[in-house]
Amino acid sequence: MADRLDLQLISAALRRLGWVRFWIQLVLAVVVVGVLVFNNIGGRLAANSSRALGLGPGISLTTLSFLLLLWCLWQSWLVVRCGRALASPVRPSRGETARLVKRGLLADLAGLSLAAVGYQAMAGSLFVQASQQVPGFFGAQIQSQPGTGGRVIGLPITSIEMFSVLGNTQVLFAHLIGLAISLWLLQRIYRTT
C-alpha cells in the first residue's frame, strides 16, 4: 500500500475536502430549500397564476436533483469519516476509499444531469412565455375598459419564475462543486508517489 506519510496526506485531504464539500453543499441546499418552499407558497398566492405556461417539469427535476444533493451531503460526511479512519490503525483499503468517493461522484453526476435538464425545461418554458409577450418596454400591458379593473395582456415573466431558475442554478452549482472535489480526491487516492 502507501507509506505512512502518504496515508497521512490522503487522510488530511479526505477530511479537509470532505468538510469543504459538505459545508458548501449544505449552504447551497438551504438556499434551494428556501427557493422551492417560496416558489410553492408564492405560486399559490400569485394572482392569475393559472395563466402561466408553467415550470412544473423543471421544478420537479430540480427537486429530484435536490434530493440527490441531500444524499451527496451524507456521502461527504462518510468521506470525512473515511479520512479519520485512514489515520487510525484499522484503516480502509484504497479500493474501499475509492468506491466511497466514486459513489459521491456518480450521485453528483446524476444530480448535475437532472439539474441541467430541469434548467433546459425552465428556460424553454420561459422562452415560450417571453415570445408571447406584447411588445413594449414593460413586456405586458394592462387593458382596461371604463368601470373595470383591467386585465393583463401578454404573459409577463414574474419574479417567482425567475426565482425558480435561481434555485435550479444553485443546485446545479452544488453538484458541480461536489463533482470537482470528488474527481480531485480520486486523483489523489490513485496518485503514486
Side-chain angles (χ1 to χ4, degrees), residues 1-11 14 86-89 91-95 97 187-193:
M1 182 119 173
D3 63 347
R4 186 167 175 78
L5 178 63
D6 197 36
L7 274 176
Q8 289 175 348
L9 291 174
I10 291 173
S11 172
L14 285 172
L86 280 175
S88 70
R91 53 183 155 268
S93 69
R94 179 181 290 192
T97 306
Q187 181 268 340
R188 180 62 190 101
I189 289 170
Y190 284 119
R191 181 178 9 173
T192 57
T193 56

Side-chain angles (χ1 to χ4, degrees), residues 2-133:
D3 63 347
R4 186 167 175 78
L5 178 63
D6 197 36
L7 274 176
Q8 289 175 348
L9 291 174
I10 291 173
S11 172
L14 285 172
R15 282 181 285 144
R16 195 171 302 125
L17 286 176
W19 279 121
V20 167
R21 177 181 168 186
F22 178 82
W23 284 109
I24 289 174
Q25 286 186 331
L26 181 66
V27 167
L28 291 171
V30 168
V31 170
V32 172
V33 164
V35 168
L36 290 174
V37 167
F38 183 76
N39 186 28
N40 193 18
I41 294 171
R44 290 183 185 160
L45 296 178
N48 203 10
S49 62
S50 62
R51 60 108 181 114
L53 293 175
L55 300 173
I59 292 173
S60 297
L61 289 169
T62 299
T63 304
L64 288 174
S65 183
F66 170 73
L67 293 175
L68 274 173
L69 182 61
L70 293 178
W71 196 76
C72 288
L73 283 170
W74 180 60
Q75 290 298 307
S76 296
W77 173 249
L78 291 178
V79 166
V80 170
R81 285 185 48 196
C82 182
R84 289 179 184 160
L86 280 175
S88 70
V90 180
R91 53 183 155 268
S93 69
R94 179 181 290 192
E96 291 170 339
T97 306
R99 275 192 298 277
L100 176 64
V101 174
K102 285 177 187 177
R103 272 196 314 254
L105 183 129
L106 290 175
D108 278 322
L109 192 58
L112 192 65
S113 300
L114 285 172
V117 172
Y119 182 79
Q120 292 299 317
M122 286 183 192
S125 176
L126 290 176
F127 172 75
V128 170
Q129 193 172 338
S131 67
Q132 293 178 355
Q133 287 184 356

Side-chain angles (χ1 to χ4, degrees), residues 109-190:
L109 192 58
L112 192 65
S113 300
L114 285 172
V117 172
Y119 182 79
Q120 292 299 317
M122 286 183 192
S125 176
L126 290 176
F127 172 75
V128 170
Q129 193 172 338
S131 67
Q132 293 178 355
Q133 287 184 356
V134 175
F137 184 70
F138 294 106
Q141 299 172 350
I142 298 178
Q143 179 185 36
S144 64
Q145 296 179 1
T148 64
R151 66 184 182 101
V152 176
I153 300 173
L155 295 172
I157 296 173
T158 63
S159 59
I160 291 176
E161 293 164 335
M162 291 308 297
F163 205 50
S164 300
V165 174
L166 176 68
N168 181 279
T169 305
Q170 298 301 314
V171 77
L172 190 103
F173 186 58
H175 282 298
L176 184 65
I177 287 174
L179 185 69
I181 288 174
S182 294
L183 285 172
W184 188 88
L185 285 174
L186 271 179
Q187 181 268 340
R188 180 62 190 101
I189 289 170
Y190 284 119

